[in-house]
Amino acid sequence: MMLAYIFAALLALLALGWAFRAAGRAVTGGAPYFRDMPLSIGFGYALGAALLLWVGYAYVLARTAPPEVANKLFFLRVAVEGLVLFSVAGWLFRLAGRHIGTAASRKLFRAMPVTAAFGILTILVYAFVAIFAGWLAPFGQAEILPQANVIPGGNPALGGDPAFPLGTDQIGRDILSRLIYGAQNTVGIAFITTCIAFLLGGSLGFLAAVLGGWLDQLLSRMVDVLMAIPSLIFALLLMTIASAWAGSERWLLTVYMILIIAVIDSTRVYRLARAVGQNIVVMDYIEAAKLRGERLPYLIFREILPNATAPLLAEFGLRFCFVFLTIAALSFLGVGIQPPLADWGTMVRDLAAFINYAAFAPLAASTPLLAAGAIALLTVAVNFVVDWMLYASSGLKE
Amino acid sequence: MSDDLLLKIRDLHIEGRSDETWTPIINGVDLSLKRGEVLGLIGESGAGKSTLGLAAMGYTRDGVRISGGTVEFDGIDLVHASAGEKRELLGKRIAYVAQSAAASFNPAHRLIDQHAEGPVTHGVQNRSDSAEDGVELYRRLRLPNPEEIGFRYPHQVSGGQLQRAMTAMAMSCRPDLIIFDEPTTALDVTTQIEVLAAIRDIVEQFDTAAIYITHDLAVVAQMADRIKVLLRGDEVETADTRVMLDTPQEDYTKSLWAVRAFQRPTKPAVLTGAVPLVSVRDVTAGYGKTTVLRDVSFDMHDGRTVAVVGESGSGKSTAARCITGLLPPRSGEVLFRGEPLPADYRKRSRDQLRQIQMIYQMADTALNPRKKIGEIIGRPVQFYTGLTGRARRKRVEELMEQIELPAATFHDRLPSELSGGQKQRIGIARALAAEPSFIICDEVTSALDQLVAEGILKLLAELQDRLGLGYMFITHDLATVRAIADEVVVMKEGRVVEQGPKAEMFRPPHHPYTDLLLSSVPEMDPDWLDDLLEERGRANIGDAAIENMD
């Protein structure tokens, strides 16, 4: 029966798509776009329109219907509102960028898509929050308050408290403050880790590309061995060893974690740097520099590096996301950033049980999603920026 | 409207998108082509030849649009034709032969399968008839072993053969019109002549109309009934080939014709007993197990140009790599002013490195795209002479004056902001910055338009007279040899087959290979190809002739 309905709906959409195309042809008098349009594209338009209509209908329902219906659509409502809010923010940011700043920055913003503007805005906001966490956060990250299990939203009628706009966790720590400190811990540590990974992987990769021969073989085979082991499991294994070494020194464990993830991720950077470097090394201008008698550091840093920045920068954005997710994952599994330091991965784990209330108490269920959302938002933002940079430079052809 | 017009282009305007604005590429060009007629389109790069050629198929590249005018093929309006209508025409009635056959064939399929694809999809022939026809076409294009060659993959046949296979593929549906976009530019002279003869014969046999795009006047003189000259998107003039060659009307056309007249005065012979500047002695070298150079010896003197000539793969560039020390020879040695140079460039002193400089074929890859011109020229100045700051800047400005590029305009530009000829000049300045006594020029003009190339050659000649430099000039273009060389070294398969002063080299008797090379260079005479085929016979040109030699 269900299948019949789906089939009928698809047929209806197909008919709609056909009608759309026919109407387009009639109205525009056979403009090439409609004239050469395959039926599949007309179907796509119809399907897209139907989905859009459904989302609009569901959103109206979520705002107006009684709680037992509206609760089921709560997250859809948040998603729609978030999307609109973020696009507007990105658009406004780009608009501002087009009118403020130097001629060069204005030109940059003019050619920028909204997604990239949103990505840059988000990264700036995260950086701001991470740097000024101490001033911004209303409470300390380890501060335990008497009010536990306050629901987010700040509405006393629903179990909230205006003093804690995002609520508190099971032992009474303010979630907003912990999110803000989490930006400092998680993002800061991820940034340092990525930098180390690039320093290590990048310089070794270029070295292998320039010198070749046995050094290239040795380094590349070592990297192959490291890459052959699944990275998360490898990291877990090493972290277990490291926690034994660190003993009760919690900060030492964090240092070990940075080094372990940096080394594991530097293998990917090494491969990219080597591949990009090899393409540059065969260029005549490198040969000219070699024949001039230039030394190795000049070759690497003055001749090769400037030509490899575009792909490396793009890789830096992506690698940062992966490192960041690895840290969150390790923290979620309990071997990463150690309590009482706030960390988004740990927060997701600690509050995960609340997700069970999603069907009838969406506000309570959203507590673990706040930290998860913070992770997701940054990842998406960085990827938007990376995509745009790749497109703008078209430097990454591999 | 006359009905025998196959292609009628009227007032065509084409624009290309750059930095969010549309800049014109073609400004109102008219073109008419009768059935069975061959029209040559010539002009420098950037003149819009290829764009016009593609527009004749109703096609534009990405970011390019037809903004006005009409393209009518046999009464069909191609500008407004639907995708379906164009699909019906392209490949079937209009075909296209691209410059690089190697990049245009799908490397994963056999030649004959790709050949048969067009006729089958257009419903002209079934698979087996088309394959049979392919063999027939291969035979007519004089591909070796026509029965078997279709079963090869593109990488298994040579460049010249691939270009002919592509012509066969274009012919597979017996189109009314073929667009040839520089089909022989990437080929050696001896291979080019085979392809030219093959293309011309087959176009004549099937009475196909063709547009032949090239920048080589001598080539177009052999191929075309009429010639149209383009300059930056505008038509300069159109005339029948013979009329155009004998009495060009416009100044621009005349300047194109005059390029080939440049020739340096002959220098007196080298004094016997003079110590050569650079001397290659019995050098044998190769990569891995393959030997590329076998017992190569030749001398080069101060203030003189030695042209090293030969086909691709003959070892010209390898010889240069041995001299620079990039490829240490297996045996033999390179002497500089009588002193042996260390085989490996890493073991040479800074002064030895300074004395021998190199100018590369592709200025694009020879200049670091992220460095400003001032830095590119300034680095060797600083590196070798130790000048810094203002003194360095002054020296860079002097050098830029020598290459006739004003430092004020170019000092802070990136290589991407320069034209091909300007980049090549920067390459020359970088070599001069080291104050060398010997410069290796590796095909420095082959990527340039003729007018620009002539400018570079004149500059090099002038610098030689002023600074007394010795040049090793690697080239496969004998017109360049005529223009600039004092002595000539002819190489084939890693051996020197003949060497001597230029005047002697261009006078018979020759080594048969030299003779083949010399006779394969197209001349401006439209009857040249016919005469040559008559004289040598069709079986004795190009690769076939080389095989006959052995």
Side-chain angles (χ1 to χ4, degrees):
Chain A
M1 199 56 208
M2 193 64 193
L3 268 179
Y5 274 127
I6 293 174
F7 190 64
L10 285 179
L11 267 185
L13 282 175
L14 202 62
L16 223 75
W18 185 84
F20 169 73
R21 188 178 64 169
R25 279 176 186 169
V27 170
T28 59
Y33 184 73
F34 287 107
R35 190 191 53 200
D36 297 333
M37 182 187 283
L39 192 54
S40 56
I41 291 183
F43 174 76
Y45 272 111
L47 187 69
L51 276 175
L52 217 59
L53 274 177
W54 179 79
V55 170
Y57 166 75
Y59 180 72
V60 173
L61 210 62
R63 299 238 36 137
T64 55
E68 58 273 20
V69 181
N71 276 348
K72 289 197 187 349
L73 297 169
F74 175 79
F75 289 109
L76 185 109
R77 193 188 106 193
V78 174
V80 170
E81 283 170 358
L83 187 69
V84 172
L85 187 77
F86 289 145
S87 339
V88 170
W91 187 78
L92 285 176
F93 180 65
R94 189 177 64 167
L95 198 67
R98 282 176 180 178
H99 293 98
I100 304 165
T102 62
S105 81
R106 282 208 297 270
K107 188 172 179 223
L108 197 67
F109 272 100
R110 257 198 300 284
M112 190 185 285
V114 178
T115 48
F118 165 70
I120 291 173
L121 176 68
T122 310
I123 292 168
L124 286 180
V125 169
Y126 271 68
F128 179 80
V129 168
I131 292 166
F132 298 104
W135 285 277
L136 290 173
F139 302 96
Q141 56 179 323
E143 197 176 338
I144 294 172
L145 303 157
Q147 300 92 331
N149 285 331
V150 175
I151 304 261
N155 183 351
L158 295 174
D161 183 336
F164 312 106
L166 296 182
T168 59
D169 64 8
Q170 300 101 315
I171 55 170
R173 291 176 297 190
D174 180 41
I175 291 178
L176 178 65
S177 305
R178 284 179 66 74
L179 273 181
I180 291 170
Y181 275 106
Q184 199 172 44
N185 298 331
T186 320
V187 179
I189 288 173
F191 187 74
I192 295 170
T193 310
T194 318
C195 287
I196 297 175
F198 265 75
L199 210 66
L200 197 68
S203 33
L204 289 181
F206 284 140
L207 209 62
V210 177
L211 293 179
W214 63 267
L215 183 86
D216 180 25
Q217 285 298 322
L218 184 77
L219 286 172
S220 298
R221 294 300 81 79
M222 269 162 57
V223 161
D224 286 348
V225 169
L226 284 183
M227 285 182 87
I229 308 168
S231 62
L232 188 65
I233 294 175
F234 192 37
L236 268 176
L237 179 80
L238 293 179
M239 283 304 292
T240 319
I241 300 169
S243 56
W245 284 350
S248 57
E249 301 276 354
R250 288 281 159 97
W251 64 270
L252 205 57
L253 188 61
T254 310
V255 173
Y256 283 141
M257 181 183 72
I258 291 176
L259 292 179
I260 287 168
I261 300 179
V263 168
I264 291 176
D265 272 67
S266 70
T267 56
R268 275 81 178 167
V269 182
Y270 169 87
R271 282 214 169 171
L272 179 78
R274 179 171 168 271
V276 173
Q278 276 178 330
N279 279 349
I280 300 173
V281 162
V282 296
M283 291 288 176
D284 290 338
Y285 56 85
I286 302 293
E287 191 181 297
K290 278 185 186 168
L291 285 179
R292 203 186 302 144
E294 299 284 6
R295 309 245 167 265
L296 200 58
Y298 181 90
L299 278 181
I300 291 184
F301 293 108
R302 303 300 293 279
E303 297 279 355
I304 298 179
L305 191 61
N307 289 291
T309 36
L312 282 184
L313 218 58
E315 174 70 10
F316 187 88
L318 279 180
R319 199 44 53 200
F320 174 72
C321 288
F322 283 123
V323 166
F324 175 74
L325 293 174
T326 310
I327 293 175
L330 287 178
S331 304
F332 177 82
L333 293 169
V335 292
I337 298 170
Q338 296 299 310
L341 288 185
D343 163 75
W344 294 338
T346 325
M347 287 174 72
V348 175
R349 180 190 56 180
D350 289 348
L351 298 165
F354 285 103
I355 203 79
N356 296 326
Y357 308 137
F360 50 90
L363 273 179
S366 64
T367 45
L369 295 180
L370 287 170
I375 296 172
L377 196 64
L378 183 61
T379 312
V380 169
V382 170
N383 274 298
F384 275 155
V385 176
V386 167
D387 272 355
W388 168 66
M389 278 185 344
L390 274 187
Y391 177 78
S393 72
S394 298
L396 191 67
K397 286 173 188 109
E398 283 75 34
Chain B
M1 169 184 139
S2 55
D3 274 333
D4 59 341
L5 274 190
L6 179 68
L7 180 72
K8 202 173 83 175
I9 294 177
R10 287 291 172 267
D11 195 30
L12 187 71
H13 288 262
I14 298 179
E15 296 176 334
R17 200 180 161 80
S18 61
D19 278 346
E20 314 215 346
T21 54
W22 292 93
T23 44
I25 299 175
I26 302 277
N27 325 303
V29 169
D30 292 347
L31 188 155
S32 305
L33 191 65
K34 297 195 201 78
R35 284 178 198 282
E37 188 186 29
V38 179
L39 174 75
L41 272 185
I42 61 172
E44 300 171 40
S45 50
K49 307 178 299 259
S50 294
T51 313
L52 185 59
L54 289 172
M57 308 169 32
Y59 176 81
T60 54
R61 293 207 175 96
D62 275 349
V64 176
R65 68 175 182 195
I66 296 176
S67 55
T70 56
V71 178
E72 232 175 72
F73 173 79
D74 205 12
I76 304 162
D77 177 3
L78 285 180
V79 177
H80 298 102
S82 72
E85 282 166 327
K86 279 190 208 162
R87 223 171 2 248
E88 194 50 40
L89 280 178
L90 298 182
K92 187 175 173 187
R93 298 195 58 200
I94 310 178
Y96 180 74
V97 176
Q99 173 172 358
S100 166
S104 305
F105 271 102
N106 186 333
H109 295 284
R110 293 172 198 278
L111 293 179
I112 199 74
D113 293 334
Q114 301 190 51
H115 180 94
E117 195 184 339
V120 171
T121 42
H122 284 293
V124 178
Q125 278 174 318
N126 63 30
R127 171 78 179 67
S128 61
D129 285 351
S130 174
E132 234 168 78
D133 183 54
V135 172
E136 176 58 28
L137 284 172
Y138 290 158
R139 186 171 292 125
R140 290 197 189 202
L141 286 162
R142 279 185 301 283
L143 280 164
N145 211 350
E147 308 278 343
E148 307 290 327
I149 198 166
F151 294 99
R152 299 209 191 154
Y153 287 95
H155 67 270
Q156 293 171 316
V157 304
S158 74
Q161 291 168 357
L162 208 55
Q163 200 71 47
R164 277 180 279 169
M166 185 139 154
T167 307
M169 192 158 84
M171 273 293 173
S172 63
C173 292
R174 302 290 183 274
D176 298 315
L177 170 65
I178 301 187
I179 320 276
F180 292 97
D181 194 349
E182 309 235 14
T184 61
T185 307
L187 303 175
D188 284 319
V189 273
T190 51
T191 318
Q192 160 169 298
I193 186 169
E194 264 179 322
V195 176
L196 287 183
I199 288 179
R200 208 183 54 175
D201 288 351
I202 203 147
V203 166
E204 261 167 30
Q205 279 171 18
F206 294 112
D207 199 25
T208 314
I211 294 179
Y212 197 97
I213 300 167
T214 179
H215 65 265
D216 190 338
L217 294 162
V219 165
V220 89
Q222 313 309 317
M223 307 301 288
D225 303 320
R226 264 192 314 139
I227 295 179
K228 185 189 278 291
V229 183
L230 292 179
L231 174 64
R232 283 181 228 111
D234 286 307
E235 179 180 325
V236 178
E237 61 178 313
T238 309
D240 285 340
T241 303
R242 279 167 203 283
V243 177
M244 180 76 97
L245 290 175
D246 296 339
T247 51
Q249 298 296 316
E250 302 293 324
D251 287 343
Y252 175 69
T253 321
K254 284 179 193 157
S255 72
L256 281 179
W257 269 224
V259 168
R260 297 187 160 250
F262 172 65
Q263 196 167 347
R264 303 185 70 191
T266 316
K267 289 186 189 136
V270 186
L271 297 171
T272 43
V275 177
L277 177 60
V278 173
S279 156
V280 179
R281 293 271 173 86
D282 303 320
V283 164
T284 299
Y287 305 93
K289 278 182 187 146
T290 52
T291 308
V292 184
L293 289 183
R294 293 179 178 86
D295 288 329
V296 169
S297 301
F298 53 90
D299 292 344
M300 289 169 280
H301 292 269
D302 285 289
R304 304 181 76 86
T305 304
V306 174
V308 180
V309 197
E311 310 225 326
S312 43
S314 61
K316 310 183 296 273
S317 296
T318 309
R321 289 175 70 84
C322 288
I323 295 173
T324 56
L326 281 169
L327 181 74
R330 284 188 202 144
S331 63
E333 58 184 355
V334 178
L335 306 180
F336 183 82
R337 295 202 194 283
E339 300 284 317
L341 282 174
D344 190 331
Y345 75 93
R346 294 186 197 87
K347 299 202 176 74
R348 292 184 186 176
S349 72
R350 191 173 277 205
D351 195 54
Q352 285 171 327
L353 289 171
R354 182 179 69 80
Q355 294 287 358
I356 301 177
Q357 290 293 313
M358 195 151 170
I359 306 171
Y360 294 86
Q361 175 178 12
M362 305 300 294
D364 287 319
T365 59
L367 305 181
N368 192 330
R370 300 280 166 160
K371 286 192 166 187
K372 295 193 171 140
I373 302 306
E375 171 65 21
I376 290 175
I377 304 176
R379 176 68 194 177
V381 169
Q382 184 177 346
F383 190 80
Y384 290 123
T385 62
L387 296 176
T388 50
R390 202 162 286 170
R392 176 181 132 166
R393 167 86 192 214
K394 191 158 166 283
R395 175 74 184 130
V396 170
E397 279 169 10
E398 269 171 36
L399 286 164
M400 294 187 73
E401 203 171 300
Q402 286 189 337
I403 53 161
E404 294 154 22
L405 292 179
T409 335
F410 290 99
H411 189 273
D412 292 324
R413 287 204 194 173
L414 289 171
S416 56
E417 294 167 296
L418 267 57
S419 72
Q422 288 169 342
K423 278 184 219 168
Q424 201 54 282
R425 281 166 192 264
I426 301 298
I428 295 173
R430 180 176 59 187
L432 290 180
E435 297 170 18
S437 47
F438 180 69
I439 297 183
I440 300 172
C441 306
D442 189 356
E443 304 261 12
V444 286
T445 54
S446 59
L448 301 173
D449 289 315
Q450 287 178 352
L451 277 177
V452 183
E454 190 203 8
I456 297 283
L457 291 182
K458 281 185 174 159
L459 175 67
L460 285 170
E462 196 191 306
L463 290 169
Q464 182 170 53
D465 293 342
R466 186 143 30 110
L467 305 170
L469 301 166
Y471 290 148
M472 170 175 170
F473 212 95
I474 299 172
T475 184
H476 66 263
D477 180 14
L478 287 156
T480 312
V481 176
R482 273 200 188 107
I484 196 164
D486 300 311
E487 279 128 67
V488 183
V489 173
V490 182
M491 290 189 68
K492 174 173 179 275
E493 286 165 15
R495 288 177 207 280
V496 174
V497 292
E498 205 171 4
Q499 57 179 315
K502 173 173 67 169
E504 271 173 36
M505 297 300 294
F506 282 100
R507 222 177 15 232
H510 303 298
H511 182 272
Y513 180 70
T514 316
D515 186 48
L516 178 73
L517 269 184
L518 287 174
S519 66
S520 299
V521 181
E523 285 165 23
M524 294 289 272
D525 172 12
D527 298 321
W528 169 81
L529 185 57
D530 294 311
D531 295 347
L532 182 82
L533 292 177
E534 187 116 335
E535 190 186 314
R536 296 190 70 104
R538 287 187 187 282
N540 201 23
I541 55 170
D543 296 343
I546 294 178
E547 270 162 41
N548 293 347
M549 222 178 278
D550 295 333

